[in-house]
Amino acid sequence: MLEKNKIYEAQIVDYTSEGQGIAKVEGCAVFVPNAIAGEICRIRIEKAAKTWASGKIVEIMERSEHRINRACPVAKLCGGCAFHHMDYEEETRMKAERVRTCLNRIGGENLPNVPIMAAPTCEGYRNKAQYPVSVKKGKAIAGFYRAGSHDVVENQRCLILPPESDAVKDIVIDYVNQYRVMPYDEKTHKGLLRHIYVRRGTVSGQILVCLVLNGRRLPKPEVLIQRLKKVPGFTTLVVSVNTKVGNSVLGDEFITLYGPGYIEDTLCGLNFRLSPRSFYQVNHHQAQRLYEAAIACAEITKNDTVLDLYCGVGTITLAMAKAAGKVIGVEVIPQAVEDAKDNAARNGIENAEFFCGDAGQAALELERQGIRADVVVVDPPRKGLNADTIEALSRFAPRRIVYVSCDPATLARDVALLKERGYQLKDAIAADLFPRCAHVETLVCLTRK
Ligand code: SAH
């Protein structure tokens, strides 16, 4: 076991899934934030367990040529971005490598490399921000959590967000301070404003502002609306009522105070309605490229029925509808399903159907009803597919399975399960939808043997 507070010299040999560097010291894995593979550092141990430890760099003995200093003034404090210290070449290299390692080690593949779709820009790309609100020196502040904590790091201007998003945040904070709206305190469960959620359609420029309240009512909402109207594109103000203790940001009830309660955006040539509760990829440009690649590898023909599980507001479903005979989307969030149905209608798409429910259970039910699926698309949350979904996939036995994943480890686990059920991996490509952040998206195509 390594000694706490002792300084060890070691080389960074790899990265964790959160983007921390890994050094090996006396057979122990040491996790080191802000480190770059290849660097030799002096590391002070902060936590030590039997097989692992974590520590901080006290000195870099050999610096990586990929080390940079980012312009962000709170880069070292804010837990939002993991890679303020690393150039984009190294960031994309390590993301592609992570996908490759997962598919090989967990998925039983033997891929020599996995290509990555790198982003053309690392700035201003995020179309959604959820700023937690807190108090500092008696004033409300908003920003993002410090890594591994719920302390809010105040941030004037977040570089991965569009300026309109921060402009909204500043207006809300000024209003909150003026009208003495109490920020929510997790420890006491007192206070009103929990989060400021802003979503801006990258193409439409429309802005949704959603204030998450531990309650239902804001003082003087008309003053806030008047001020928000100064931000170009401001479209709607919604309150999300979340009086529950816990980490989930949004509550179940939404009250529209101004505008339609949703925004619109254009993606893959289609118009989408987006309610606050509905999922929408945060990087518009990269999502569009990812979906185009997904459509290409699905190789859909006019007679095909396509089943899109975990379909959200129907982005991929509807983008595939033109090429297919019929498309069916399944999604668990009712508001997203309502959006998806509306989205089919607003784009004049008549061969799409949407169901609300758990993907696996709904898919099994559809299969029982005799529905066939020639191509199945799955785009699950990080935990990947559940047993029902895997079972439904093997019963449908589609020609192709297109798997869009936000976690390469669970993707690789599911690929291994699908290989046992008669599928083989045809293509795998990583896509960087989250520059500066540790997450990486992957698209794989599986064909039936
Ligand atoms: N394909 C869509 C959405 C992907 S995100 C897009 O690219 O825009 C994953 C979606 O799965 C979310 O909309 C989430 O609400 C939904 N989801 C999560 N668990 C689910 C489950 N068990 N069954 C069906 N959908 C689920």
Side-chain angles (χ1 to χ4, degrees):
M1 201 157 126
L2 302 184
E3 236 175 88
K4 202 176 154 182
N5 289 326
K6 193 171 158 182
I7 294 171
Y8 296 85
E9 189 175 310
Q11 184 164 41
I12 306 300
V13 289
D14 205 349
Y15 297 100
T16 67
S17 56
E18 280 89 48
Q20 299 194 344
I22 306 176
K24 281 272 159 63
V25 182
E26 296 169 13
C28 192
V30 185
F31 306 123
V32 191
N34 309 323
I36 302 179
E39 287 185 330
I40 298 176
C41 310
R42 283 162 38 82
I43 303 158
R44 187 195 304 278
I45 301 299
E46 292 189 325
K47 257 191 211 151
K50 251 194 199 140
T51 54
W52 65 272
S54 63
K56 273 202 177 135
I57 296 179
V58 286
E59 193 184 350
I60 302 170
M61 314 300 288
E62 254 177 59
R63 248 175 112 83
S64 166
E65 58 183 16
H66 298 290
R67 186 166 280 279
I68 55 162
N69 267 326
R70 276 197 76 198
C72 176
V74 293
K76 292 223 164 84
L77 296 171
C78 177
C81 296
F83 305 128
H84 58 81
H85 61 295
M86 182 189 291
D87 66 16
Y88 194 51
E89 186 189 339
E90 175 65 1
E91 181 182 331
T92 46
R93 185 199 68 77
M94 71 109 93
K95 286 179 175 175
E97 184 55 19
R98 186 156 125 241
V99 172
R100 187 183 80 91
T101 315
C102 285
L103 286 171
N104 287 354
R105 280 194 200 148
I106 310 168
E109 291 294 318
N110 190 19
L111 304 169
N113 75 302
V114 169
I116 183 159
M117 220 183 253
T121 174
C122 298
E123 301 208 337
Y125 69 83
R126 260 194 90 94
N127 63 28
K128 176 183 171 185
Q130 282 174 335
Y131 306 90
V133 180
S134 186
V135 183
K136 191 174 143 190
K137 294 185 184 145
K139 293 248 177 227
I141 56 156
F144 295 103
Y145 292 132
R146 190 159 54 76
S149 88
H150 271 195
D151 300 341
V152 175
V153 176
E154 196 177 2
N155 190 351
Q156 297 302 322
R157 178 71 194 98
C158 172
L159 297 177
I160 64 173
L161 292 173
E164 292 85 353
S165 185
D166 282 337
V168 165
K169 174 208 48 168
D170 291 343
I171 289 172
V172 174
I173 288 296
D174 278 349
Y175 151 86
V176 157
N177 280 321
Q178 186 179 353
Y179 291 96
R180 302 189 183 283
V181 176
M182 280 297 287
Y184 176 71
D185 182 340
E186 283 180 347
K187 288 182 197 102
T188 58
H189 195 53
K190 292 223 167 73
L192 185 63
L193 181 60
R194 297 174 75 132
H195 278 83
I196 305 168
Y197 158 19
V198 187
R199 182 185 262 165
R200 178 177 180 271
T202 303
V203 176
S204 69
Q206 292 185 10
I207 294 173
L208 165 120
V209 181
C210 175
L211 299 185
V212 184
L213 302 185
N214 176 33
R216 313 176 58 84
R217 224 168 251 141
L218 280 172
K220 299 255 180 217
E222 66 286 355
V223 174
L224 178 61
I225 291 163
Q226 223 40 51
R227 293 181 187 174
L228 287 171
K229 280 183 181 168
K230 292 190 188 112
V231 181
F234 169 64
T235 301
T236 191
L237 174 66
V238 177
V239 158
S240 168
V241 182
N242 183 5
T243 54
K244 287 194 196 127
V245 176
N247 282 341
S248 52
V249 174
L250 296 179
D252 294 326
E253 192 190 347
F254 292 87
I255 304 165
T256 302
L257 298 183
Y258 174 79
Y262 58 82
I263 55 164
E264 295 169 50
D265 200 23
T266 303
L267 186 75
C268 296
L270 300 171
N271 180 259
F272 288 96
R273 173 183 109 176
L274 309 164
S275 299
R277 193 76 177 77
S278 299
F279 176 91
Y280 189 55
Q281 282 288 8
V282 298
N283 187 330
H284 180 275
H285 179 86
Q286 290 293 90
Q288 188 158 287
R289 288 175 73 198
L290 179 72
Y291 297 160
E292 281 163 4
I295 295 167
C297 75
E299 294 194 354
I300 302 164
T301 67
K302 263 289 170 209
N303 291 324
D304 284 344
T305 297
V306 178
L307 181 61
D308 180 15
L309 302 178
Y310 312 88
C311 71
V313 299
T315 43
I316 303 177
T317 340
L318 297 174
M320 287 184 172
K322 219 202 295 171
K326 187 178 175 178
V327 290
I328 302 168
V330 177
E331 161 63 44
V332 80
I333 301 283
Q335 290 93 330
V337 177
E338 288 309 306
D339 283 349
K341 288 179 179 166
D342 187 84
N343 290 333
R346 60 171 60 218
N347 291 288
I349 294 172
E350 288 173 352
N351 60 341
E353 260 189 282
F354 291 95
F355 296 99
C356 187
D358 169 69
Q361 282 167 21
L364 286 173
E365 180 56 32
L366 289 168
E367 196 268 339
R368 258 180 246 124
Q369 289 171 13
I371 305 274
R372 69 186 166 93
D374 304 287
V375 174
V376 178
V377 179
V378 292
D379 184 1
R382 263 177 244 163
K383 62 179 181 235
L385 305 179
N386 59 23
D388 283 347
T389 312
I390 298 276
E391 175 61 24
L393 283 173
S394 85
R395 285 200 207 163
F396 275 119
R399 193 171 68 237
R400 281 184 178 213
I401 299 170
V402 176
Y403 194 141
V404 178
S405 157
C406 51
D407 186 327
T410 56
L411 165 71
R413 176 203 66 199
D414 294 341
V415 163
L417 292 172
L418 292 167
K419 287 204 292 194
E420 288 168 11
R421 288 161 178 79
Y423 284 86
Q424 63 192 8
L425 187 78
K426 193 175 155 285
D427 295 306
I429 176 167
D432 189 22
L433 270 64
F434 314 102
R436 308 299 184 211
C437 305
H439 291 142
V440 59
E441 204 78 12
T442 311
L443 167 68
V444 304
C445 177
L446 296 136
T447 51
R448 205 175 54 218
K449 271 189 245 168

